[in-house]
């Protein structure tokens, strides 16, 4: 069900207000709610006068972490309550009031000492007061770390069902502080279920335009842009934002053309800027994005988008303690460097995602999975696949993961499936669901497809889209299962054609216990990809795997006219 | 429609007579028809007295080639006419009269100077007299060269529609003079459309039993055995066949157990032997072979049988002047040694059959195809694939080919198809039919399957069985045809599943014009084999092709439990 904010965003380009902090010009702007309420209201009124649709509360820095630093923790409740009250007094019935939440000002682990749960509590605490005081929605802004955004959104979601907008601050290269690009920020925020996303503050408008464009490529959520009024400069000991209003107008037109559905101003903007935005937007209809829902997964800094015609992408299988004694020893000793080495090797060889499987025991997984993921994220940009059968382990991993991971896996049993879907919905993520129930794995493709159908139906009940589900009809070992191995291929084809579902397979199982495993792996992969397999888990260090992928992409039209194939320079084609 | 002989063979074990030549003991037995007709009749009567069902005319050596050598050519007509007359006088209405035809006594090219057409005329001449004189069927016996058998059968078929039995003489290793084994003799004779086949004369009965067993593995034609009365020995200047009758009885029981449906005696047998055979067979029902029609092709000495569960066999593609400049030059110079070298290499690498394509021009093909095939047959045992679009070239090749070849190819156009089927029926052969008509190659699998359906219907009209047809739904080049390449794979699957048809594909076309051709070839081959492809044309010198086959056989259950696969010793599995 669409909320009021969503409906409004579809009807018109929503006009946000301009800066509060730079207008008030106080050392601690939020304390102004208590000390100078008339000044705060004046700023609100000045924007209302120019025709904005949204008034943001003066509560950006009014969270426990920031207030404690300036010994104002005792005023937390009052500042936030009063902030909402002042905004509502000006907003009246016509304008929406956004409950503004800014960053904690502290770094989360491993860059700082703040844990996900601590950050979440900070945001929940502030959010609860704002919501109880009557804001229309929450606007989390100026975020620079995906994990902190997650903590903020999860924290708010836990306490109330209220629309959330989250905007982040990007540098001139289109990255946030922790290195994530616009697509990654958009992917993660979308997966957290927010109502709109966007960019605010930051550097110049042209680079913000690129950020918005990047976001439109991966999401159809409404996009909000709140640029600054110019570049900050210190003049006579004061920060000034210098940009003449004509240039602001021209540059902001670029933002509108890029497709934003909400616009306002950040630092250095004043009623003049909002007046310009009002003129530019009042007769303009929002550009509504087409109704698509791309499959995508995000790492700490990069996003992988899956489309029908893009080249096959693979998950590297090697971070698995069962298959790698070296990793098993590392886990026993609590070390993570062997994981990082092996991860870098797989990335070098072309893996688009990496599976991480700790195995061993629940206790070890609970201890080591978050550690390994934290470690990997510092060196690895691409998405990780959290490979465990324990929902508890998934949840601990989700609390440290700076992206949208693939949770691998759940069975088709309703209880397990619902639990994993709930985790994915809460923390942002996609899932792998095996065509397996407590009765075991059915022999025939048709029965596996029936389980897949049930999985997709349960997901739909829970509002969890197909684009976030990869069905795994499971590869059997060729040595033990004879011609049953082709049931898996048939399953892949049927799940795609009959259910429109995505599939994933752990390819190497086909050759388990046999010699020349690469042969079977690569030729089975060709069959699977040609039948429509979306996402294989393979050893990317095996060149035969790439042979298979290059060929299959030609056969399936993902490499039309064999153009990519023809670029291959292989010295010895005889293998 | 079954003829009288066929019906009889199903009802009882047909008892043939014993030796004529060794009983008459004349220098030129056939002249006895004119000079000692009472002696000939006495021999016939002696067998009739023992209860035989068939009397063979005393015309074994009464052909133009043999009579000319003893300056009795002028008596050819009379000897044969009289031979039939004498036999019929004894046979009366109860017994069948077999018109006996033996070899020319000359070697056919390239071992001798006799051409196929010359040999055919010799057999046709004698056969015509025998048939016009009223024999019930023709029995061609003691043959030792497949090409001479073909000449005899084709010669008789051209002049009359009469049942033909053909039996050959095998050595102790189960081979005929030119090296062909029992399965090859059976395969070729069956493809010529004879009523029954078998073995006569030769060495000992135990080795004849093995020959009969070999034949039962590949054909369900009635099998006839006419063993000698013992091993020939020169005693006091006379040839004697020594074997005591008790031993003859015991050994002949082995022949009956092996499944013969007709039995009699060759050299050294007399009425005592026939008396024994009568007692052994009179209360015995023939063992009727189960109703199967195996797909098989024969080379000069070896036969390839195609069954659902046997490992994939391939046709070597390399004897093709278009792809091999070396061969093109050889053809221009009229040389065949480069063909033989390249053929041996392919056999060494595991080809089960070899394609031979001369290309260039009709004139060159007419000149060189028979030469190349004659040359290849001297070194190569396995079946050849006669690859030409000209029916004239096929016919000239068929006249020198000592086996059952695959004629590659005809289109689906009725006129062309009927012409090629007629050649295959006349000379013995199987065909490749392309799913192509004068309208071109249809894009979609469904349309190709419709052409295949029509091909099989036309073949059925002509009494040409599915087991002798390989449908080629044609491989398109991946570079130019994008995802249409999978239509071919779909076609293979549909032709198998919907029509029960066999398929053949020239795999290498997939990679035409692209780099790293082996990759595409081998991975496309995996797709085709897994979809049910029966017979690929490939480069057997490419190791990736064998990788594909080993894997596909595992996936399709042709290599159950990956047993063959596991035997592979590959030093470097990473390719
Ligand atoms: Zn700002
Ligand atoms: Zn701001
Ligand atoms: Zn004999």
């Amino acid at each position: 069900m669409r909320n009021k904010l969503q409906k409004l965003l579809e009807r018109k380009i929503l006009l946000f207000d301009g800066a509060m902090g730079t207008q008030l010009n106080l050392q601690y702007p939020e304390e102004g709610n208590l000390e100078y309420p008339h000044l705060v209201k004046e700023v609100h009124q000045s924007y209302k006068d120019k025709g904005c649709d949204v008034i943001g509360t003066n509560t950006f820095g009014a969270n426990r972490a920031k207030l404690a630093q300036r010994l104002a923790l005792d005023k937390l409740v009052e500042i936030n309550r009063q902030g909402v009250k002042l905004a509502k007094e000006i907003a009246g019935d016509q304008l929406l009031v956004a409950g503004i939440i800014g960053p904690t000002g502290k770094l989360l682990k491993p860059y700082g000492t703040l844990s996900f749960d601590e950050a979440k509590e900070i945001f929940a605490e502030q959010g609860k007061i704002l919501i109880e005081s009557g804001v229309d929605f929450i606007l989390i802004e100026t975020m620079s770390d995906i994990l902190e955004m997650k903590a903020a959104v999860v924290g708010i979601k836990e306490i109330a069902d209220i629309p959330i907008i989250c905007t982040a601050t990007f540098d001139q290269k289109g990255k946030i502080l922790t290195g994530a690009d616009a697509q990654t920020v958009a992917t993660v925020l979308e997966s957290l279920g927010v109502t709109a996303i966007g960019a605010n503050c930051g550097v110049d408008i042209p680079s913000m335009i690129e950020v918005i464009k990047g976001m439109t490529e991966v999401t159809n959520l409404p996009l909000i842009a709140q640029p600054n009024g110019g570049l900050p400069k210190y003049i006579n000991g004061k920060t000034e934002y210098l940009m003449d209003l004509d240039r602001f107008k021209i540059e902001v037109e670029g933002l509108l053309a890029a497709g934003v559905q909400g616009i306002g101003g950040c630092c250095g903007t004043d009623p003049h800027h909002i007046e310009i935005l009002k003129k530019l937007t009042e007769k303009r209809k929002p550009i509504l994005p087409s109704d698509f829902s791309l499959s995508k997964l995000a790492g700490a800094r990069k996003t992988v988008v899956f489309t029908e015609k893009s080249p096959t992408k693979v998950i590297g299988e090697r971070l698995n303690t069962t298959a790698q004694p070296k990793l098993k020893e590392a886990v026993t000793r609590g070390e993570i460097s062997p994981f990082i080495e092996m991860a870098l090797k797989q990335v070098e060889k072309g893996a688009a995602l990496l599976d991480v499987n700790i195995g061993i025991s629940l206790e070890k997984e609970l201890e080591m999975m978050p550690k390994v993921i934290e470690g990997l994220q510092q060196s690895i940009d691409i998405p990780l696949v959290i490979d465990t059968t324990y929902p508890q382990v998934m949840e601990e991993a989700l609390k440290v993961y700076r992206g949208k991971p693939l949770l691998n896996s759940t069975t088709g049993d309703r209880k397990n499936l619902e639990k994993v879907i709930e985790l994915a919905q809460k923390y942002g993520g996609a899932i792998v669901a095996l065509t397996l129930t407590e009765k075991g794995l059915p022999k025939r493709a048709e029965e596996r497809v029936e389980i897949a159908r049930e999985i997709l139906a349960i997901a739909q009940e829970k509002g969890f889209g197909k684009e976030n589900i990869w069905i795994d009809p499971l590869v059997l070992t060729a040595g033990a299962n004879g011609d049953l191995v082709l049931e898996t291929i048939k399953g892949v084809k049927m799940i795609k054609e009959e259910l429109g579902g995505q599939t994933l397979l752990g390819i190497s199982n086909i050759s388990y216990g046999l010699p020349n495993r690469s042969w079977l792996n690569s030729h089975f992969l060709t069959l699977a990809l040609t039948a429509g397999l979306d996402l294989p888990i393979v050893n990317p260090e095996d060149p035969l795997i790439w042979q298979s992928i290059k060929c299959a992409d030609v056969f399936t039209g993902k490499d039309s006219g064999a153009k990519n194939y023809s670029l291959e320079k292989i010295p010895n084609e005889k293998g």
Side-chain angles (χ1 to χ4, degrees), chain A residues 109 115-118 120 147 150 158 358 362-374 377 386 388 390-402 405 407 419 423-424 426-427:
Chain A
K109 287 180 182 176
S115 76
F116 179 87
D117 283 331
E118 286 164 351
K120 188 184 75 173
L147 197 56
K150 278 174 81 166
E158 278 186 354
I358 305 293
L362 172 59
E363 290 65 33
K364 264 293 169 208
E365 288 198 39
L366 278 172
E367 176 202 338
M368 288 300 289
M369 183 66 94
K371 265 197 199 171
V372 168
I373 285 181
E374 271 188 350
Q377 286 183 135
I386 297 167
T388 175
Y390 301 113
Q392 296 147 275
V393 175
M394 288 178 188
E395 184 155 16
E396 292 314 306
L398 285 160
K399 287 180 184 174
V400 301
Y401 187 66
R402 287 181 159 79
L407 302 176
K419 175 75 195 152
L423 286 173
K426 178 170 181 178
Y427 293 96

Side-chain angles (χ1 to χ4, degrees), chain A residues 18-22 60 100 141-142 200-201 226-228 265-269:
Chain A
M20 173 59 74
T22 50
F60 180 81
I100 303 293
E141 59 177 29
T142 327
N200 77 300
C201 206
Q226 302 212 66
N228 286 344
C266 200
C267 309
T269 55

Side-chain angles (χ1 to χ4, degrees), chain A residues 49 78 88 189 195 214 255 300 380 486 530:
Chain A
D49 291 343
E78 260 330 284
K88 280 172 74 85
L189 288 173
T195 298
L255 271 175
I380 302 294
L486 292 184
T530 310

Side-chain angles (χ1 to χ4, degrees), chain A residues 74-296:
Chain A
D74 57 326
K75 297 181 200 150
L76 189 146
V77 175
E78 260 330 284
I79 289 174
N80 282 290
R81 262 191 205 153
Q82 190 67 11
V84 178
K85 184 165 172 278
L86 298 175
K88 280 172 74 85
E89 280 172 22
I90 303 300
D93 290 338
Q94 307 105 310
L95 308 193
L96 292 172
V97 172
I100 303 293
I101 291 180
T104 59
K106 287 185 159 186
L107 293 176
L108 269 77
K109 287 180 182 176
Y111 306 107
T113 56
L114 200 62
S115 76
F116 179 87
D117 283 331
E118 286 164 351
K120 188 184 75 173
E121 289 314 317
I122 291 170
F123 292 115
E125 179 184 40
Q126 187 188 4
K128 193 162 190 284
I129 306 164
L130 294 173
I131 293 163
E132 286 175 357
S133 304
V135 297
D136 294 298
F137 63 93
I138 293 290
L139 173 54
I140 301 160
E141 59 177 29
T142 327
M143 303 301 282
S144 58
D145 175 5
I146 284 179
L147 197 56
E148 191 173 6
M149 294 182 220
K150 278 174 81 166
V153 175
V154 173
I156 303 299
K157 288 201 295 185
E158 278 186 354
I159 55 160
D161 181 18
I162 191 169
I164 301 170
I165 297 179
C166 183
T167 60
T169 299
F170 293 83
D171 64 18
Q172 272 188 296
K173 289 180 180 163
K175 309 274 173 73
I176 61 171
L177 184 68
T178 52
D181 60 20
Q183 297 198 339
T184 301
V185 171
T187 296
V188 175
L189 288 173
E190 182 194 78
S191 75
L192 289 166
V194 301
T195 298
I197 65 174
N200 77 300
C201 206
V203 201
D204 57 334
I205 298 178
S207 65
M208 187 180 269
I209 292 171
E210 294 310 308
V211 165
I212 294 296
K213 283 182 181 168
M215 288 180 166
T216 60
E217 284 166 17
V218 297
T219 185
N220 59 0
L221 281 180
L223 301 181
I224 311 298
Q226 302 212 66
N228 286 344
L231 290 172
K233 287 220 169 131
Y234 280 90
I235 295 170
N236 301 329
K238 260 185 69 182
T239 306
E240 300 268 2
Y241 290 81
L242 300 172
M243 184 196 292
D244 78 58
L245 290 169
D246 290 341
R247 189 169 150 218
F248 182 81
K249 188 186 164 199
I250 292 166
E251 292 189 354
V252 156
E253 282 185 328
L255 271 175
L256 291 167
V260 294
Q261 285 162 271
I263 196 159
C266 200
C267 309
T269 55
D270 60 33
H272 296 99
H273 296 88
I274 301 307
E275 186 174 20
I276 290 169
L277 293 176
K278 179 70 184 176
K279 281 184 187 146
L280 287 174
T281 57
E282 64 187 343
K283 281 174 188 157
R284 202 171 180 133
K285 285 273 168 197
I287 301 171
L288 292 178
S290 53
D291 187 19
F292 68 96
S293 44
L294 282 180
S295 282
K296 48 197 183 289

